[in-house]
């Protein structure tokens, strides 16, 4: 793991006026996989995928991207619907790096950005691995807003962010709450509580209700257009995008399959680390 630590894999690229930060490993491989993190306070490619990167880098060229507004990437507040915003930045990044086509693996917000990228640039997207993806998840039985979404909204609300609010949010992410350590809370809070991060998160949230572009986030309405093979991964105990949210996507996406992990919340790639890695890598390397 030392050889694939933060500094060894850290990279920057200037893309359409944005400075994007990403991690790269496994550059000797011909097939590229892009990892896209979720959208909670303090999220980044490293926080979501630090253990995933070296595993996938044994087989793929891995690009783990800090999406705009997160991690060490720029944090603009003037942008259109967030999935479109992030997908456009990703298109610029793969262009800059000379990647013609990449598989996409995305958690939550990152899953939505991956789907938007595949819809807008179908020739550039390979297979999709989507863990509780935003925009595709439509709750058939569960109420909205979900517990996780409510806690997300509370974090930046008056009188302002706190470690206690962040811990409450993070606890909705997982089935096994022992994963929410003091170290994790401190690391995420340090990133999430800066003024620029708070402004970026507010702008991201607002973009989902902008009258001129919010429909770009309703990915389920376009899911039938996906021609890639799609692996939907859900935790049975997901309290952010509950399991019933998978049903419409599973019905609409022509080449979809669904895998459900029991005793697992919204972070399948962390809570079911070994099983998830085997499942995803097998899916991405399996012949047509």
């Amino acid at each position: 793991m030392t050889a694939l630590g933060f500094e060894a894999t850290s990279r920057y690229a200037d893309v359409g006026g944005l400075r994007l930060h990403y991690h790269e490993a496994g550059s000797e491989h011909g097939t590229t996989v892009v990892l896209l993190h979720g959208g909670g306070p303090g999220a980044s490619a490293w926080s979501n995928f630090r253990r995933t990167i070296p595993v996938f880098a044994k087989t793929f060229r891995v690009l783990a991207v800090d999406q705009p507004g997160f991690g060490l990437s720029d944090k603009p507040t003037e942008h259109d619907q967030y999935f479109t915003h992030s997908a456009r930045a990703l298109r610029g990044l793969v262009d800059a790096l000379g990647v013609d086509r990449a598989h996409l693996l995305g958690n939550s917000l990152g899953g939505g950005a991956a789907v938007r990228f595949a819809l807008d640039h179908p020739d550039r997207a390979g297979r999709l691995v989507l863990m509780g993806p935003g925009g595709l998840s439509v709750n058939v039985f569960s109420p909205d807003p979900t517990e996780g979404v409510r806690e997300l909204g509370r974090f930046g609300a008056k009188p302002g962010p706190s470690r206690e609010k962040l811990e409450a949010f993070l606890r909705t992410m997982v089935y096994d709450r022992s994963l929410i350590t003091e170290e994790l809370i401190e690391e995420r809070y340090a990133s999430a509580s800066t003024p620029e991060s708070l402004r970026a998160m507010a702008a991201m949230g607002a973009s989902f209700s902008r009258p001129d572009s919010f429909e770009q986030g309703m990915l389920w309405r376009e899911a039938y257009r996906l021609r890639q093979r799609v692996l939907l991964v859900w935790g049975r105990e997901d309290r952010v995008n509950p399991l019933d949210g998978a049903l419409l996507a599973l019905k609409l996406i022509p080449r979809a399959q669904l895998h459900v992990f029991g005793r697992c919340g919204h972070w399948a790639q962390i809570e079911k680390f070994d099983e998830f890695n085997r499942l995803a890598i097998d899916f991405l390397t399996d012949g047509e």
Side-chain angles (χ1 to χ4, degrees), residues 27-222:
S27 57
E28 69 273 17
H29 299 296
T31 301
T32 300
V33 175
V34 174
L35 311 182
L36 296 171
H37 60 79
S44 68
W46 194 249
S47 71
N48 269 202
F49 297 118
R50 70 182 71 190
R51 295 177 63 211
T52 307
I53 292 168
V55 175
F56 275 66
K58 294 176 183 178
T59 306
F60 307 104
R61 180 187 185 186
V62 176
L63 303 175
V65 184
D66 285 350
Q67 297 186 78
F70 292 90
L72 298 179
S73 289
D74 282 350
K75 298 173 176 58
T77 56
E78 298 296 325
H79 57 77
D80 50 3
Q81 202 283 326
Y82 188 83
F83 293 149
T84 302
H85 173 52
S86 183
R88 184 186 306 114
L90 178 57
R91 169 64 188 268
L93 179 63
V94 294
D95 283 350
L97 297 179
V99 177
D100 293 329
R101 196 165 184 263
H103 299 313
L104 304 174
L105 185 152
N107 177 229
S108 196
L109 183 79
V115 172
R116 186 76 265 165
F117 181 90
L119 289 168
D120 291 351
H121 313 290
D123 59 324
R124 307 296 295 275
R127 300 177 187 182
L128 308 181
V129 179
L130 308 172
M131 302 92 81
L136 278 185
S137 178
V138 179
N139 296 338
V140 179
F141 305 114
S142 301
D144 283 312
T146 63
E147 180 184 0
V149 172
R150 291 198 305 271
E151 293 296 341
L152 175 62
R154 287 186 63 238
F155 176 75
K158 293 181 179 180
S162 69
R163 287 170 177 80
E164 291 73 23
K165 286 183 180 182
L166 180 59
E167 180 177 2
F169 168 74
L170 292 175
R171 285 179 175 272
T172 67
M173 297 290 104
V174 294
Y175 174 83
D176 179 5
R177 296 189 177 187
S178 70
L179 292 170
I180 309 304
T181 63
E182 287 300 318
E183 181 183 12
L184 176 65
I185 295 168
E186 288 301 317
E187 175 189 314
R188 301 254 319 212
Y189 186 74
S191 175
S193 58
T194 66
E196 63 174 358
S197 291
L198 290 169
R199 288 192 294 267
M201 180 157 286
M204 178 195 72
S207 79
F208 284 88
S209 58
R210 283 183 53 157
D212 60 335
S213 61
F214 76 92
E215 293 187 7
Q216 296 169 17
M218 302 170 70
L219 301 174
W220 56 271
R221 301 204 313 189
E222 303 177 67

Side-chain angles (χ1 to χ4, degrees), residues 250-281:
L250 182 62
K251 179 74 172 179
L252 291 174
I253 298 171
R255 304 177 71 193
Q257 56 183 283
L258 171 65
H259 187 95
V260 180
F261 287 112
R263 300 169 68 87
C264 179
H266 196 52
W267 286 348
Q269 78 278 12
I270 294 173
E271 289 203 86
K272 297 297 180 181
F273 181 74
D274 291 325
E275 293 172 85
F276 171 81
N277 290 337
R278 288 194 296 269
L279 175 72
I281 291 171

